[in-house]
Amino acid sequence: MKVLVLNCGSSSIKYQFFDTEEQVALAKGVVERIGMSSAILSHSRHDGDNIKIVGEILDHAIAIEYVLGVMLSKNHGVIDDKDEIDAIGHRVVHGGETFSGSVLLTPEVMNVLQENIELAPLHNPPNIKGIQAVSRILPGKPQCGVFDTSFHVKMPPKAYLYGIPFELYKKYKIRRYGFHGTSHRFVSKVAAEKLGKKYEDLKIITAHLGNGCSMAAIKNGLSIDTTMGFTPLEGLLMGTRSGDLDPMLILYIMGKEGLSLSEAQTLLNKHSGLIGISGESSDMREIQIAVREGHKRATYAFDIFNYKIKKYVGAYAAAMGGLDALVFTGGIGENSFEVREEVCKDMGFLGIELDDKRNINKEEIISTDSSKVSVLRIPTNEELVIALDTADIVKSLQEEQAAIK
Ligand code: ADP
């Protein structure tokens, strides 16, 4: 099946076009600066051909028209007709409490997504815009939604409820949701395969470390806890986000600095984390360079980043009553041997023993042969998961329809 995967953000659309049988991306690209006269479409084909187009792209519908245009083009395209696209899979950030898996995007599902806008005011509206644009441009094509939250929906109440009046959970759905679920699900399953063990028998901790960072405790194939919460701000230290805080300090800072609600949000989401502490950069590569040069605040940032991950490894091993595998993924998790080394240092008491050579050489299994806990480095591929989920949903739909006939 040929599936177009779309990740629609407020001013950008990332896309990949998959052949799901072969599990290869035939083309991929991104449209940036949507809404501006100098928007950029960067497109590359699996054979290495690539092209950049600059032009006025005022909204998501026009951006998707551009993407289809380049996919159909004689010189840079991968299809001869729009009908070669069997289905479209969308990354949708927030599925609220409703969706515990990926779904066909029906009018009823769209209503639920609208209801969830309040929970993800920055992310769900562009996701919805993308879905609506595709309905107009490719009418009748099945579209599926794959949610960042759905893998965590089955967490137990003790993991998802906050210690605030229960009525607020009922009234405003204030609870921990967790994000990056597609990535946690993918890398934990791949880890089980690589270890040749049954997914349902394992206790796995996954650390997705990119610009946004989160960890998940996955016991017998279910996410039982995760570090992000009501919003993607909770948990680990991130590029520009603070992670866990004493909630009182937000009110204290707002009072002291006279900050409005939106200024406080910006402070915690955009000016905190690695950039806030180091004053240098939100990018781990640059932080590590600064650490090597002896930059004190960058060293604090680096140390705090690793320390928080280490603490959650301990917490989640306790939550699951043991640990079989620790998995690193995301731009930092996949590429920074230094972060993996710091996190796993002195963790022998938990059965974690890193093999330094394997770690530096970026091998898949980076623990020693005698390590009780396997440590893995697995590149994530959220787009592939979206394509495969979409293909599965569409196939079962076709089978259902065939059975009715
Ligand atoms: P996003 O969350 O936006 O998808 P990525 O998963 O691409 O981001 O991760 C981006 C992060 O990965 C940045 O902090 C970047 O510095 C870091 N990163 C990429 N390569 C390396 C590397 N070789 N060493 C350390 N950090 C790296």
Side-chain angles (χ1 to χ4, degrees), residues 126-341:
N127 296 159
I128 292 171
K129 268 193 204 164
I131 298 163
Q132 289 168 338
V134 171
S135 311
R136 287 196 300 276
I137 299 165
L138 298 168
K141 292 275 178 204
Q143 299 193 68
C144 298
V146 179
F147 303 95
D148 277 27
T149 48
S150 61
F151 185 52
H152 306 299
V153 157
K154 293 186 181 147
M155 286 192 295
K158 66 184 174 192
Y160 73 68
L161 286 176
Y162 285 109
I164 55 172
F166 190 74
E167 297 74 35
L168 293 171
Y169 160 59
K170 285 281 156 214
K171 209 165 157 188
Y172 302 116
K173 299 186 185 165
I174 297 174
R175 53 160 279 180
R176 306 184 64 254
Y177 290 97
F179 299 87
H180 289 146
T182 317
S183 177
H184 290 297
R185 172 162 60 109
F186 176 73
V187 298
S188 56
K189 279 193 177 154
V190 174
E193 274 165 34
K194 300 283 175 202
L195 296 173
K197 303 220 166 113
K198 241 176 109 196
Y199 188 47
E200 289 73 20
D201 290 344
L202 293 175
K203 296 176 181 128
I204 305 175
I205 295 176
T206 45
H208 176 109
L209 311 174
N211 284 312
C213 301
S214 72
M215 290 167 69
I218 301 162
K219 188 177 181 183
N220 308 332
L222 291 176
S223 168
I224 63 149
D225 206 345
T226 189
T227 56
M228 283 179 171
F230 180 58
T231 74
L233 186 64
E234 192 179 340
L236 303 176
L237 193 81
M238 307 178 214
T240 62
R241 293 176 226 158
S242 64
D244 295 332
L245 293 172
D246 175 347
M248 260 324 277
L249 74 79
I250 302 157
L251 305 178
Y252 187 78
I253 296 169
M254 286 174 79
K256 283 279 182 201
E257 300 266 313
L259 299 185
S260 67
L261 269 179
S262 90
E263 285 167 334
Q265 269 188 25
T266 306
L267 176 81
L268 299 174
N269 281 293
K270 304 262 189 229
H271 301 307
S272 298
L274 294 177
I275 180 79
I277 294 166
S278 71
E280 285 288 298
S281 175
S282 63
D283 189 297
M284 184 51 93
R285 278 166 295 204
E286 290 174 20
I287 292 290
Q288 290 189 187
I289 292 169
V291 170
R292 274 177 235 126
E293 289 167 354
H295 192 289
K296 199 167 159 196
R297 280 173 55 183
T299 308
Y300 288 147
F302 184 70
D303 289 346
I304 297 168
F305 184 89
N306 299 324
Y307 181 60
K308 291 207 177 218
I309 300 168
K310 194 189 265 282
K311 284 210 292 190
Y312 272 110
V313 172
Y316 285 173
M320 292 191 289
L323 182 61
D324 298 305
L326 169 62
V327 183
F328 289 92
T329 193
I332 300 171
E334 290 164 31
N335 296 305
S336 173
F337 72 83
E338 295 92 335
V339 165
R340 297 191 299 262
E341 185 179 299

Side-chain angles (χ1 to χ4, degrees), residues 97-125:
E97 291 191 298
T98 318
F99 304 112
S100 60
S102 307
V103 290
L104 186 72
L105 292 167
T106 60
E108 294 74 35
V109 171
M110 292 307 290
N111 287 340
V112 179
L113 296 190
Q114 293 281 359
E115 284 165 21
N116 285 338
I117 283 182
E118 249 192 331
L119 296 174
L122 298 179
H123 293 102
N124 272 24

